[in-house]
Amino acid sequence: MGIDSIGKFIRKKRKEKGYTQEEFAKMMGISRYTLYKIEKGQLGEVSFIKIWNALRLLGYDICIERHNPFANPDWNEFEE
C-alpha cells in the first residue's frame, strides 16, 4: 500500500465528516497545500506522525496486523 492509497482514504473520510481541506489542515497543524498533496499521494516523504494524526482526527487508528494494517474494513477499497 502506498501513500496514494492512504491519501485517498483520508480524503474520503475527511469529506464524510464534512471538513474542508482548510479546516482539516488547520486541525492537523499543516498547510492546506500539504494536505492536498497528502490526499493526492504526491508527497515523497510524509512523516508517520502526520499520517497517524490525520487518521486519528478522523476516528481511525493504525494497528499492526499482517493482512489488515488499518483497524477498519473501510480501508479495503483503497488497497492497491
Side-chain angles (χ1 to χ4, degrees):
M1 96 192 66
I3 186 68
D4 55 328
S5 296
I6 296 170
K8 288 176 188 175
F9 183 81
I10 290 170
R11 181 174 189 251
K12 179 181 182 210
K13 297 304 175 181
R14 171 186 61 78
K15 286 184 164 196
E16 285 177 4
K17 296 215 178 241
Y19 297 123
T20 65
Q21 279 187 333
E22 188 71 36
E23 291 168 330
F24 195 62
K26 188 177 244 184
M27 291 169 64
M28 288 181 64
I30 62 175
S31 72
R32 188 205 58 79
Y33 184 67
T34 299
L35 178 58
Y36 167 81
K37 290 187 83 169
I38 289 170
E39 290 182 351
K40 293 292 185 183
Q42 294 177 350
L43 283 178
E45 289 186 32
V46 176
S47 77
F48 177 78
I49 298 300
K50 285 183 180 149
I51 296 296
W52 176 79
N53 189 37
L55 293 169
R56 185 184 56 80
L57 288 167
L58 293 168
Y60 294 86
D61 201 354
I62 296 174
C63 67
I64 305 303
E65 291 183 25
R66 184 177 179 159
H67 297 291
N68 186 6
F70 286 83
N72 191 289
D74 290 347
W75 176 255
N76 294 333
E77 71 182 274
F78 296 95
E79 287 189 286
E80 296 174 344

